[in-house]
Amino acid sequence: MTKSAAPSHLLPVFARADLAFERGEGAWLISTDGERYLDFTSGVAVNALGHAHPHLVAALQEQATKLWHMSNLFKSPDGERLAARLCEQSFADYVFFANSGAEAMECALKVVRHYHFAKGHPERTRIITFEGAFHGRTLGTLAATGAAKYLEGYGEPLSGFDQVPLGDIEAVKKAIGPNTAGILIEPLQGEGGVRAPTNAFFGALRDLCDANGILLVFDEVQTGMGRTGELFAYQRIGVTPDVMSLAKALGGGFPIGACLVSAEAAAGMAPGSHGSTFGGNPLAVAAAGAVLDVMLKPGFFDHVKKMSLLLKQKLASAVDRFPTVLSEVRGEGLLIGLKAVVPSGDLVAALRDAKLLSVGAGDNVVRFLPPLIVTEAEIEESVQRLEQACVALSSAGLKQGAA
């Protein structure tokens, strides 16, 4: 790969790989020098239907000739239809459209606080969160995340969050007080290392919320829209939240986020209580509608579950064969984590050398996030490339040991 000699004027906040792409086809990306890469990053769980899906392309092309933006000062028939479809498929009665996962989460945080304000308890503003979580990059969602590495350099974190160990129900009980407004949790931590407590833990959270008159919020920015084998991960768990954030795969690659809210949780949200200039943009709404068209076809989630089982079985076999490189397979659906023995960054780099794209996570885990339309042949190919990377890392380890 030839490095560009020209300086970049992009703010240097990303440690970018020296790799650029010019087009994509399904589960494949083609680099600017013509090499084909198997994309098991999917834009970090965004391109759920792969690249250049014909139905999504057609929907955007058609909408682009009609209307790009008209603002939320006016009615949005297409936005109404998309919101109705999301509510029909979920617990929700209302939807607020945003542009990103962090914005969807900001809306969720505001809904929780405003719920208690509207009921005459403005003191109830604190939200319980969990270690290892990741909720976004705004100052509010960073405070909810609570990780020092993300907060450093930005001053005093926004107050109002009480973080407890994941899966520790006694710690949650102790954290609930007269100022507690809600509990916020990911059904399956992605950035945190593909970790999840038991379904019973989620059930216990629901019971605690009901008993204390507080709201349960699920951050489904990464897990939602089919990633764990159901349209929404809460449906797999069997526990219903009051508020839920979506983004990433919702637009299949076009930026859109959404906050889904029950009628009860939405109490007090009125004109002026929240807003967005671009939220519900016609292009984004068209893309999200097209994603739903594909995902709601019979058999779509059966395919996701089948591919999940196949991938996990083959990854488990690779773990057995390369114990000096890999140690564990985690996850649900096609949100799969490989816990590494070697540094996870080394594994990501070795996979990239084998032309398989993956993404790191916490707890020394590498995420496999193939598009949900991935084929058996592509899964077979991915494992072969993983094995190639493991052989390279094993050889490098032997050489270092010999030295």
Side-chain angles (χ1 to χ4, degrees):
M1 180 71 62
T2 302
K3 293 188 178 183
S4 173
S8 174
H9 294 282
L10 294 172
L11 195 66
V13 295
F14 295 106
R16 300 177 190 267
D18 184 27
L19 184 59
F21 300 101
E22 61 182 15
R23 60 192 174 89
E25 302 168 350
W28 297 86
L29 280 168
I30 295 86
S31 67
T32 50
D33 60 359
E35 296 287 347
R36 290 174 63 85
Y37 287 76
L38 187 52
D39 184 10
F40 273 37
T41 296
S42 298
V44 193
V46 168
N47 299 99
L49 302 182
H51 300 281
H53 190 287
H55 187 63
L56 272 64
V57 170
L60 268 180
Q61 287 176 331
E62 181 181 354
Q63 185 60 46
T65 66
K66 294 179 179 179
L67 187 65
W68 287 24
H69 180 73
M70 77 292 182
S71 99
N72 286 304
L73 297 173
F74 307 102
K75 288 186 175 181
S76 171
D78 291 341
E80 290 281 359
R81 280 191 286 272
L82 177 60
R85 293 179 76 186
L86 289 170
C87 289
E88 180 182 307
Q89 297 296 326
S90 73
F91 68 91
D93 299 294
Y94 296 105
V95 179
F96 177 85
F97 290 119
N99 310 288
S100 68
E103 287 182 56
M105 275 309 314
E106 286 282 348
C107 178
L109 298 176
K110 291 175 76 172
V111 164
V112 170
R113 288 185 170 188
H114 214 274
Y115 169 81
H116 294 285
F117 174 83
K119 290 187 172 295
H121 297 285
E123 75 284 358
R124 301 192 81 166
T125 60
R126 303 195 68 83
I127 297 174
I128 296 169
T129 62
F130 295 88
E131 292 175 2
F134 183 81
H135 298 298
R137 294 279 191 170
T138 63
L139 289 175
T141 55
L142 281 178
T145 296
K149 66 179 180 178
Y150 297 125
L151 289 164
E152 184 180 7
Y154 297 109
E156 192 70 23
L158 183 71
S159 64
F161 299 96
D162 299 304
Q163 195 167 76
V164 299
L166 183 67
D168 188 339
I169 197 65
E170 293 305 317
V172 177
K173 291 177 181 177
K174 290 177 183 176
I176 295 175
N179 300 120
T180 302
I183 298 173
L184 166 60
I185 189 168
E186 298 158 278
L188 176 61
Q189 288 185 349
E191 183 76 17
V194 193
R195 303 188 310 148
T198 64
N199 289 358
F201 178 77
F202 288 101
L205 293 183
R206 178 72 271 175
D207 291 342
L208 284 174
C209 286
D210 293 341
N212 290 277
I214 60 179
L215 299 181
L216 179 61
V217 184
F218 276 10
D219 178 346
E220 291 227 33
V221 167
Q222 185 161 165
T223 60
M225 302 307 295
R227 182 51 60 179
T228 66
E230 303 287 349
L231 186 59
F232 308 117
Y234 83 82
Q235 295 166 328
R236 179 185 61 81
I237 294 170
V239 173
T240 303
D242 303 294
V243 184
M244 178 174 73
S245 59
L246 296 175
K248 287 193 180 289
L250 179 58
F254 200 96
I256 181 172
C259 181
L260 277 61
V261 189
S262 70
E264 170 65 15
M269 298 301 286
S273 57
H274 195 48
S276 169
T277 296
F278 291 111
N281 171 277
L283 290 168
V285 165
V291 169
L292 277 178
D293 290 343
V294 176
M295 289 192 178
L296 295 180
K297 286 182 178 178
F300 183 86
F301 297 115
D302 291 336
H303 173 79
V304 175
K305 292 169 187 173
K306 181 180 177 182
M307 293 304 100
S308 171
L309 181 60
L310 178 65
L311 180 57
K312 288 164 81 171
Q313 287 173 339
K314 291 190 173 295
L315 292 179
S317 177
V319 169
D320 290 341
R321 292 197 305 279
F322 298 97
T324 62
V325 180
L326 310 171
S327 68
E328 182 187 355
V329 180
R330 302 174 174 178
E332 297 292 341
L334 290 173
L335 173 46
I336 305 298
L338 266 179
K339 186 169 175 61
V341 176
V342 299
S344 59
D346 291 354
L347 180 55
V348 169
L351 290 168
R352 191 165 60 243
D353 288 342
K355 296 186 173 51
L356 174 64
L357 303 177
S358 61
V359 58
D363 202 24
N364 206 46
V365 165
V366 173
R367 277 173 286 179
F368 274 33
L369 302 167
L372 306 185
I373 49 87
V374 69
T375 65
E376 289 189 30
E378 287 161 346
I379 284 178
E380 294 276 4
E381 182 73 22
S382 75
V383 177
Q384 289 176 17
R385 295 180 186 214
L386 169 64
E387 291 172 352
Q388 181 182 332
C390 288
V391 168
L393 289 168
S394 299
S395 299
L398 288 173
K399 288 178 183 178
Q400 288 177 357

